[in-house]
């Protein structure tokens, strides 16, 4: 199995990983009870 000949710098690694962070969940309010709900999901409060 091949191994890298040289180590990648921290800057180069960080540039590659800039898009790996988690995004906040998109929330909306339930039209029935007003509780925060994720898009396209059933309301956990009123169902």
């Amino acid at each position: 199995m091949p191994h890298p000949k040289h180590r990648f710098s921290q800057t180069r690694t960080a540039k590659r990983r800039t898009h790996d962070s988690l995004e906040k969940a998109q929330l909306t309010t339930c039209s029935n009870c007003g509780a925060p709900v994720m898009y396209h999901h059933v309301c956990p409060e009123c169902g």
Side-chain angles (χ1 to χ4, degrees):
M1 217 168 152
H3 295 286
K5 193 164 277 209
H6 300 287
R7 179 183 172 193
F8 284 116
S9 68
Q10 290 179 350
T11 305
R12 189 179 178 107
T13 305
K15 283 181 185 177
R16 187 178 68 246
R17 291 181 180 166
T18 56
H19 305 291
D20 289 352
S21 62
L22 293 175
E23 296 177 1
K24 283 184 142 182
Q26 294 289 328
L27 295 178
T28 185
T29 55
C30 175
S31 59
N32 192 25
C33 66
V37 182
M38 286 176 53
Y39 281 108
H40 305 289
H41 282 71
V42 176
C43 178
E45 301 296 325
C46 64

